[in-house]
Each structure stands twice: as C-alpha cells, then as structure tokens.
Amino acid sequence: MSSVEVLSPPRAETGGGGLVRRSDLRLLGSELRLVMTRRRNIAMLVVLALAPTVIGIAIRLSRPSDGDGPPFLTSITENGLFLVLTALVASLPVFLPLAVAVVAGESVAGEASTGTLRYLLVTPVHRARLLAVKLSAICFYALVATLTVAVVGLVVGGLLFGLGDMTLLSGTTVGVGEAMVRALLVSLYVAAMLTTVAAIGLFISTLTEVPLAAMSATAITVVVVQIVGAVPQLSAIHDWLFTNDWLAFAGLLRSPVDTGPVVEGLAVQAAYVAVFSALAWARLASKDITS
C-alpha cells in the first residue's frame, strides 16, 4: 500500500509545528517500509550479497595473480578485510547504481502508474516534502545496499581468510579495530556517491508514469556518464562528472587521511543532488496529477 494511508488529517497541516513534524515522520516511516519490504528490493539486496561471497570463494579456490581483477584483490588472502574493499570496488560501477536506479525509478512513476500519487497529493502534503521523503528513502536504501556488500564481505572474508592488521596504501600498518573503522568510512563514502543516482532517478521518475522506463533511463544515464569518463579526448569535463570521484575513497586508506579528494567527491555529489532535486520539484510542481 502507499504511504497515503498514514497521513495526518487536513487540520494537521495548519496546526502546530509538532503535528507537521509527526506527520512528516509518519510519511517517511511509511515510505521506508514500502521501499524496504518490496520483494524486488529485497531480492536485489540478496544479489548484492552474492558479490563478496562469490569473490571470496573464487579467491579461496584459486589464488589470483598480481594485476588481475579489481584493486585489493591479491591482498585478500592475507587479510579478509580487503574483501570488503574489493567487493565495494567491484559492485560500484554497475550493481549498486543499478539497484538504486530501480528503487528511484519506481519512486514517483510507480505511484503515478497505480493512481495512488494523485490521492497522496490531494492530502495536506507539500510536493517538496513528498520529494524530500522519497529521496531520503532512496538514499537509505542505497546505504543499506552498500552496507550489505560491506558486512557480507567482512563476514565471508573473516571466515575464509581471517582478520588481522591492515597495511594502508601509505605503507602504515593499523590494527583490526582502526581498519574496520576505515572500512566503514569507505562504505559510507560509497553510499554517498550513490545519492546522485538517487536524485537523477527521482527526477526521471517524475517525467513518466512507466516505472520500467524511469529505471532504464536512470541506469543508462549512469553507464553513459561512465563511458564519457573513460574517453581521454573528453578529459576536460571529467572532473565535472558525478562518477569521476567514486573511487576517491583511497584517501581514507592513507595515514594521515587524505581528505582532499574525499571532500571534493562529496561536494560534487551534493551539487548534483541539489540540481536534480530542484528539477524534480519543478517538474512535480507543474505536473497536473490530481486531475
């Protein structure tokens, strides 16, 4: 069912600020339940969990050579913590953005296709608040998806290879506790990189009432941007692409931490989120859905 079921009565919108805040929280809670309990979204989390599992088993059965596969691959046999990083690097270009694209594409277009969006908008909920709630739910799913890859990678890596002190990219060795904290920071950074995919998907979802079209357009956009980022002749615009800083979390694996690339990457994502959120609001605000 849609989140329309948990909205406050009309008087809550004109009442005190506390009523409005409680209404917003109920709306957010309903949207989160809708996103996290949908069978397709749960299935995608299961598929994402297979990535570190398959990588770990494959490495256990055959030791990779230097230079083969994604970064950190050859270090997994020495420390299972590297499976977390390898799984995130392997999942970030396609699998994680695809999962977020599916959820984002469904967000508005799905409700528009079933007719529940018009009922939601005639209740006392501003369209800007509705978009904010939906974007928050998509970003939460992105975080859960990223942590799913990381946690499964940690468990599988620990079981197959054990956990120990980690040698950082700068050559410094840190204990297991600090290494796990850095792996968590890397996971949070990866999740933050997916917020742009969420915002783009939300915007595209306001353009159509066909969820599959919105999902496909969002996924294709991500792929095209990555292709553009791989073309040397277009290097002049690479720094402006939202995929350019996806692997800048390497700064978190140095001692001292190199925050420059990390902050730059977060700033780029924030700019994209602001632009596409504004576009989504402009589209939804001018769209006649309630008629």
Side-chain angles (χ1 to χ4, degrees):
M1 297 296 291
S2 171
S3 51
V4 66
E5 296 177 344
V6 295
L7 296 176
S8 298
R11 58 186 174 84
E13 183 69 20
T14 57
L19 289 176
V20 175
R21 285 193 294 269
R22 287 196 295 271
S23 176
D24 292 342
L25 291 176
R26 285 195 294 271
L27 179 60
L28 177 60
S30 177
E31 188 69 22
L32 288 175
R33 285 194 299 271
L34 185 67
V35 168
M36 299 307 302
T37 59
R38 185 170 283 139
R39 292 182 180 179
R40 179 178 56 229
N41 297 348
I42 296 175
M44 289 191 297
L45 294 178
V46 174
V47 172
L48 287 172
L50 291 177
T53 304
V54 171
I55 293 174
I57 294 175
I59 294 175
R60 183 68 177 179
L61 296 177
S62 61
R63 185 183 182 91
S65 302
D66 290 341
D68 293 340
F72 313 112
L73 189 64
T74 56
S75 302
I76 295 177
T77 56
E78 302 172 2
N79 190 341
L81 277 170
F82 282 104
L83 181 57
V84 177
L85 305 177
T86 301
L88 289 174
V89 171
S91 302
L92 185 54
V94 177
F95 300 113
L96 282 171
L98 179 60
V100 176
V102 170
V103 176
E106 174 77 17
S107 58
V108 177
E111 298 222 42
S113 65
T114 59
T116 57
L117 186 59
R118 64 170 56 93
Y119 296 111
L120 184 60
L121 291 178
V122 297
T123 59
V125 176
H126 294 303
R127 298 190 182 198
R129 290 183 182 177
L130 176 63
L131 286 175
V133 165
K134 288 191 172 293
L135 180 60
S136 298
I138 301 168
C139 291
F140 181 79
Y141 183 85
L143 175 62
V144 171
T146 304
L147 291 179
T148 297
V149 175
V151 171
V152 173
L154 179 65
V155 172
V156 173
L159 291 176
L160 295 181
F161 309 105
L163 305 177
D165 296 345
M166 175 184 285
T167 301
L168 303 177
L169 297 178
S170 57
T172 306
T173 300
V174 297
V176 177
E178 182 176 345
M180 293 181 67
V181 171
R182 289 178 183 259
L184 175 61
L185 292 176
V186 169
S187 301
L188 295 177
Y189 180 84
V190 170
M193 296 299 99
L194 298 173
T195 55
T196 293
V197 180
I200 292 175
L202 181 63
F203 167 61
I204 296 177
S205 187
T206 64
L207 301 177
T208 177
E209 295 184 359
V210 182
L212 184 59
M215 299 173 192
S216 301
T218 304
I220 291 172
T221 299
V222 176
V223 173
V224 169
V225 171
Q226 292 189 76
I227 292 175
V228 171
V231 178
Q233 290 78 6
L234 300 176
S235 59
I237 64 172
H238 285 179
D239 289 342
W240 300 96
L241 302 178
F242 63 85
T243 59
N244 187 62
D245 299 301
W246 275 8
L247 298 181
F249 60 74
L252 298 172
L253 301 175
R254 299 183 183 277
S255 182
V257 175
D258 185 6
T259 59
V262 173
V263 172
E264 180 180 345
L266 294 175
V268 170
Q269 305 307 312
Y272 270 97
V273 170
V275 170
F276 280 98
S277 296
L279 290 174
W281 173 83
R283 169 60 180 167
L284 194 62
S286 60
K287 189 174 182 179
D288 185 10
I289 299 175
T290 58
S291 61

